[in-house]
Amino acid sequence: MFDGLKEKLGAFREDAADVAEEQADAQADSEAPDAAAEESADPSFTDRAKSLATGKVILDADDLEGPLWDLEMALLENDVEMEVAEEILDGIEAQLVGEQKTITDSTESLIEDALREALLDVVSVGQFDFVERLTVADKPVVIVFTGVNGVGKTTTIAKLSKYLESRGFSSVLANGDTYRAGANEQIEVHADRLDRELISHEQGGDPAAVIYDAVEYATANDIDVVLGDTAGRLHTSDDLMSQLSKIDRVVEPDLTIFVDEAVAGQDAVNRAAEFDDAANIDGAILTKADADTHGGAAISIAKVTGAPILFLGTGQGYDDLQVFDPEAVVEELLGE
Ligand SMILES: Nc1nc2c(ncn2[C@@H]2O[C@H](COP(=O)(O)OP(=O)(O)OP(=O)(O)O)[C@@H](O)[C@H]2O)c(=O)[nH]1
């Protein structure tokens, strides 16, 4: 996962550490103007200079200009949204520039800590505990999934149903994608495999009515969660808006979750922003993270929408759904 970006972040750490060390050396030299004389008088001078080099250093923005520029290019090439990339750079600068830093174990760890903080700041926007949210909500909890077709939305709903079962929640599937031919059959395969009830209407029917029926079914059968698919192939955000606002009026969903594929990169980020404008999303799930070398969508979506990424799809199996843990994702990005 995210191997391409990981490599670039590693290069930034090394380059920035080199710069910091050069700067520390230069500062050590300038703090010892009588170096030559002192050196001959005091054989331990070289050691003191070294300890300064691994001691304290003040960096200014110019020192880091080269590595930060390379980092910005790397983030953009890996589909990190431009404002998010800038925020990451600002975060790093704020931590490294100007203040006197003590370089303890290694310069690289100083740089790594700054990078970690800056990434966490953007990746962890809006995080909440999904299971806790469901636990305290009145039942049935209604979750509506939005996003364009073809990104793995149906498989994700099935994965989530299995995940919920493992956490003690029963669920019913509802096919609110009444637009696409074959959508009923597609979700039915998953419902059969997982032994879940599927509520569906004929193609062309009203998505709000399907989800309403699913809520009725869940209420009558003591089911905890309704997982409602919706059509994603809508031509304008007005269509989307009117479909989702009708669902809102009729069933008042507890959560609206946007699903897209991590591999779509910047396109996924743009779509997340559009769906959020149209439907006010509460969270996102990124599929196919297992095939994503860039990580740009995973880094950007929470910051761009204000809604957290909740899960990552990491394969085709029903168990290939990972809770999105910002710290774990950042550690993964910083891994060797
Ligand atoms: N590698 C990988 N494949 C996935 C993941 N999620 C879904 N897929 C695969 O993507 C393909 C499409 O998934 P479906 O759920 O059928 O989605 P779709 O029919 O393309 O469209 P929607 O359901 O409308 O999004 C299937 O082969 C899935 O197994 C994932 O996280 N990783």
Side-chain angles (χ1 to χ4, degrees), residues 16-315:
D18 286 348
V19 164
E21 270 160 19
E22 278 164 25
Q23 218 25 52
D25 283 341
Q27 284 169 29
D29 286 348
S30 70
E31 279 167 31
D34 299 329
E38 246 186 274
E39 193 167 13
S40 56
D42 177 7
S44 69
F45 169 75
T46 322
D47 288 339
R48 280 198 286 117
K50 258 196 215 141
S51 84
L52 266 177
T54 54
K56 293 188 187 304
V57 56
I58 298 175
L59 294 171
D60 65 32
D62 289 347
D63 298 327
L64 287 174
E65 196 182 344
L68 283 176
W69 169 262
D70 291 344
L71 177 63
E72 183 168 14
M73 290 305 108
L75 292 171
L76 296 179
E77 276 163 21
N78 283 283
D79 282 330
V80 175
E81 202 265 342
M82 187 177 289
E83 281 176 25
V84 177
E86 278 166 11
E87 181 136 348
I88 293 170
L89 298 193
D90 289 348
I92 294 172
E93 267 199 46
Q95 289 187 66
L96 289 180
V97 167
E99 288 190 42
Q100 189 168 65
K101 292 286 171 191
T102 304
I103 301 177
T104 47
D105 298 340
S106 77
T107 325
E108 224 178 300
S109 68
L110 181 75
I111 308 292
E112 185 172 308
D113 289 348
L115 188 55
R116 177 181 290 110
E117 280 293 307
L119 286 169
L120 257 182
D121 270 357
V122 296
V123 168
S124 58
V125 169
Q127 277 292 319
F128 62 85
D129 186 326
F130 180 72
V131 167
E132 175 67 17
R133 178 74 72 92
L134 298 201
T135 304
V136 299
D138 290 341
K139 308 294 181 300
V141 183
V142 181
I143 306 178
V144 165
F145 296 82
T146 64
V148 296
N149 289 121
V151 298
K153 200 149 40 92
T154 313
T155 307
T156 299
I157 289 171
K159 286 179 180 179
L160 198 64
S161 175
K162 179 129 194 271
Y163 172 80
L164 289 175
E165 183 180 43
S166 76
R167 309 306 298 248
F169 298 99
S170 52
S171 58
V172 54
L173 312 188
N175 182 29
D177 181 359
T178 54
Y179 180 83
R180 185 169 52 131
N184 277 344
E185 291 72 16
Q186 190 194 349
I187 195 167
E188 196 169 8
V189 171
H190 295 299
D192 286 348
R193 279 192 202 142
L194 291 170
D195 196 20
R196 300 288 187 273
E197 185 69 22
L198 168 69
I199 308 297
S200 61
H201 289 185
E202 280 179 13
Q203 193 188 350
D206 180 353
V210 180
I211 298 174
Y212 181 86
D213 283 357
V215 175
E216 296 255 283
Y217 176 87
T219 309
N221 293 280
D222 221 6
I223 303 282
D224 300 315
V225 184
V226 173
L227 300 171
D229 202 357
T230 62
R233 202 180 295 150
L234 295 165
H235 302 298
T236 66
S237 65
D238 284 351
D239 289 340
L240 180 67
M241 194 61 162
S242 61
Q243 186 191 95
L244 289 167
S245 65
K246 182 157 184 203
I247 292 174
D248 260 355
R249 282 197 311 278
V250 176
V251 292
E252 294 183 38
D254 295 276
L255 291 170
T256 299
I257 294 182
F258 169 75
V259 182
D260 211 314
E261 44 189 15
V263 284
Q266 187 69 49
D267 287 343
V269 180
N270 295 340
R271 288 194 288 254
E274 281 168 27
F275 274 79
D276 187 43
D277 281 348
N280 210 1
I281 65 173
D282 298 296
I285 298 180
L286 282 181
T287 64
K288 305 179 194 176
D290 49 310
D292 180 27
T293 58
H294 296 301
I299 290 177
S300 310
I301 281 182
K303 184 73 199 169
V304 166
T305 62
I309 298 177
L310 298 169
F311 294 92
L312 293 177
T314 54

